[in-house]
Amino acid sequence: MSKKVVIIGGGAAGLIAGAESAKRGNDTVILEKMPRPARKMMITGKGRCNVTNACFDIESLIENVPTNPHFLYSAFSSFMPYDTIALLEELGVKTKTERGNRVFPESDKAVDVVDAFVKYATESGARIIQGTAKAFDLKNGKITAVILEDKTRIDCDAVAICTGGKSYPLTGSTGDGYTLAKSVGHTVSELEPSLVPLEISNNFIPKLQGLSLKNISIKLFKGEKEIYSDFGEMLFTHYGVSGPVILSASSHMKKPKENKYTIVLDLKPALDENTLDLRLQREFSENKNKDFINSLSKLLPNKIIPVIVRLSKIEPSEKCNSITREERRSFVNLLKNITLDVSDFRPIEEAVITSGGVNTKELNPKTMASKLVPNLYFAGEVIDVDAYTGGFNLQIAFSTGYLCGNNI
């Protein structure tokens, strides 16, 4: 028997949940507060849409989910990255795989992915309408209607909350789903930004603003304990650091104001200290009559040289041929161990995703159904699950949305 289903949120999770629900014969409405669905998908991957990760076994997927990974076993089992890629191909969007198994549309246009999923939802029979859900009507513990901001009432037999998190509020992710979930008794864990740039307290940071570094490695420490390491690209900003390795590191951090986190940056990870020392000896030998500060241009980007020289405590004007072995070895150690003191996350509005959300213990992982309200379901970022950068968070949205839509 056809049910009246309301999907709240027309993002990645909501569109696929709406499509699957409609395909099962349900009278399905996708309620989207923005004039155009999936605004957040439009800006992912710098506007190219990193749609998933070509990570084709469940264990590898789970390893990339630091928050409540085991909750996602059924969702991933029901809809894997290869299913996402196959669906896009069916919808006329060819994909390509880049470094780190990141999957993008061949066109490099996020709009192609968004249009494909909108088309999938509507051609499956779902209707997309604009409006903002503000409350529920309940009878005998079940939701009987969704009440909109303008007081419009949409009667329903079942509801799915697919509203996203609180990051990028201009795309419509303003935390509405958490309010709706709490209104029917669900608990929401504390919300923090994840995959977010970091504020750094070292006073040399402003001098490095705009500097992008490739092929560096970082280690993240909480106190004395190393908790994460990565290799790749990063960017210095006026407030601190950003870029892929930094965003991934941020997902391992909680309450940076209260916990002492440091990032140790290795500018030359391909060289061990002895090899780097030999390289430095060669540079000094070739530039023996030059000032120390003028001898490093083949080794380091120009913008970082004055900062590194000051941190080294070697006089900038000291001639290369008078630098001692101890000074040189100390400088090598510095190049491989620049310590950045993390003072805070950037605001949640600048985060790629929200960490925290609806308590997974209150949801059935095999159906995405609420254990508290029999006709309520959840999918996507509103749930307390989040993953590393690289397409994993969109895959969570697709997998949970698919499972939700097929069980509603």
Side-chain angles (χ1 to χ4, degrees):
M1 192 177 85
S2 173
K3 290 181 179 177
K4 288 185 177 178
V5 172
V6 178
I7 310 286
I8 304 174
L15 288 171
I16 199 165
E20 297 306 319
S21 169
K23 281 165 69 178
R24 293 175 67 81
N26 294 323
D27 178 4
T28 304
V29 168
I30 299 171
L31 184 64
E32 169 54 45
K33 72 192 292 188
M34 303 298 284
R36 183 167 184 170
R39 286 293 304 277
K40 193 171 173 186
M41 278 175 73
M42 294 283 277
I43 60 172
T44 62
K46 298 178 181 173
R48 296 170 60 215
C49 194
N50 181 188
V51 72
T52 188
N53 193 284
C55 180
F56 293 158
D57 66 279
I58 287 181
E59 291 305 326
S60 298
L61 281 172
I62 292 294
E63 284 170 10
N64 283 280
V65 182
T67 307
N68 297 318
H70 297 291
F71 174 79
L72 293 169
Y73 262 106
S74 291
F76 283 152
S77 298
S78 67
F79 198 80
M80 288 285 285
Y82 49 75
D83 295 309
T84 303
I85 293 166
L87 176 58
L88 281 168
E89 296 268 345
E90 280 176 36
L91 295 168
V93 179
K94 287 187 164 29
T95 61
K96 60 183 177 179
T97 303
E98 298 186 2
R99 187 179 59 81
N101 287 328
R102 289 166 161 83
V103 178
F104 294 90
E106 268 189 8
S107 65
D108 283 331
K109 293 177 182 175
V111 67
D112 292 348
V113 176
V114 172
D115 288 349
F117 276 104
V118 170
K119 175 184 170 187
Y120 182 52
T122 55
E123 290 190 354
S124 296
R127 289 174 291 128
I128 301 173
I129 64 171
Q130 190 177 354
T132 302
K134 276 297 175 187
F136 297 132
D137 265 357
L138 284 92
K139 187 176 181 181
N140 299 324
K142 283 189 173 186
I143 297 169
T144 56
V146 177
I147 311 301
L148 307 194
E149 196 171 46
D150 64 2
K151 304 293 191 286
T152 302
R153 172 191 174 94
I154 305 177
D155 293 325
C156 60
D157 299 305
V159 173
I161 297 177
C162 307
T163 49
K166 281 192 79 171
S167 57
Y168 292 137
L170 293 177
T171 66
S173 298
T174 52
D176 300 2
Y178 306 126
T179 306
L180 290 168
K182 286 195 270 193
S183 75
V184 290
H186 276 283
T187 52
V188 174
S189 62
E190 188 174 354
L191 305 175
E192 280 197 300
S194 187
L195 301 184
V196 66
L198 301 174
E199 295 183 1
I200 303 293
S201 60
N202 306 65
N203 60 10
F204 57 78
I205 287 295
K207 295 183 175 66
L208 298 177
Q209 180 181 350
L211 175 63
S212 178
L213 297 176
K214 293 183 178 181
N215 302 319
I216 52 84
S217 71
I218 62 162
K219 291 179 181 174
L220 174 66
F221 288 84
K222 182 179 181 182
E224 301 295 315
K225 185 181 179 186
E226 182 184 329
I227 57 174
Y228 181 71
S229 63
D230 203 356
F231 172 87
E233 299 176 26
M234 66 174 285
L235 171 71
F236 287 95
T237 66
H238 66 284
Y239 54 76
V241 288
S242 186
V245 299
I246 300 300
L247 298 184
S248 292
S250 73
S251 61
H252 293 265
M253 301 166 63
K254 300 288 180 190
K255 302 186 187 307
K257 273 187 170 178
E258 298 169 22
N259 295 299
K260 183 177 167 53
Y261 289 103
T262 52
I263 289 171
V264 176
L265 168 61
D266 184 348
L267 294 173
K268 297 292 176 183
L271 306 176
D272 62 28
E273 290 208 3
N274 286 333
T275 309
L276 183 54
D277 186 40
L278 290 170
R279 167 82 189 274
L280 204 58
Q281 287 180 54
R282 193 165 71 246
E283 294 296 329
F284 287 173
S285 175
E286 290 173 4
N287 298 282
K288 56 188 173 186
N289 295 315
K290 277 190 177 179
D291 294 349
F292 173 51
I293 197 168
N294 295 326
S295 69
L296 302 170
S297 58
K298 287 184 181 176
L299 200 65
L300 299 168
N302 287 333
K303 193 159 194 170
I304 206 171
I305 290 173
V307 170
I308 291 288
V309 168
R310 185 163 66 82
L311 291 174
S312 76
K313 298 187 169 60
I314 300 172
E315 281 298 318
S317 58
E318 187 169 347
K319 301 300 179 189
C320 290
N321 61 5
S322 63
I323 292 173
T324 66
R325 179 180 183 277
E326 288 70 27
E327 285 175 324
R328 194 186 69 240
R329 295 291 294 187
S330 174
F331 186 64
V332 166
N333 183 263
L334 172 64
L335 293 178
K336 296 189 72 65
N337 296 280
I338 299 168
T339 301
L340 306 174
D341 299 312
V342 180
S343 55
D344 205 356
F345 291 133
R346 289 296 287 168
I348 199 166
E349 291 77 13
E350 294 180 28
V352 176
I353 57 164
T354 306
S355 181
V358 175
N359 190 335
T360 55
K361 291 182 176 149
E362 298 168 358
L363 308 179
N364 182 337
K366 293 182 177 177
T367 62
M368 297 293 125
S370 164
K371 293 179 180 177
L372 311 181
V373 182
N375 62 340
L376 177 62
Y377 296 75
F378 292 87
E381 194 181 341
V382 71
I383 304 170
D384 186 13
V385 285
D386 58 86
Y388 302 143
T389 185
F392 296 104
N393 288 290
L394 266 180
Q395 186 58 47
I396 289 173
F398 297 138
S399 295
T400 55
Y402 180 87
L403 196 57
C404 164
N406 275 286
N407 284 283
I408 204 160

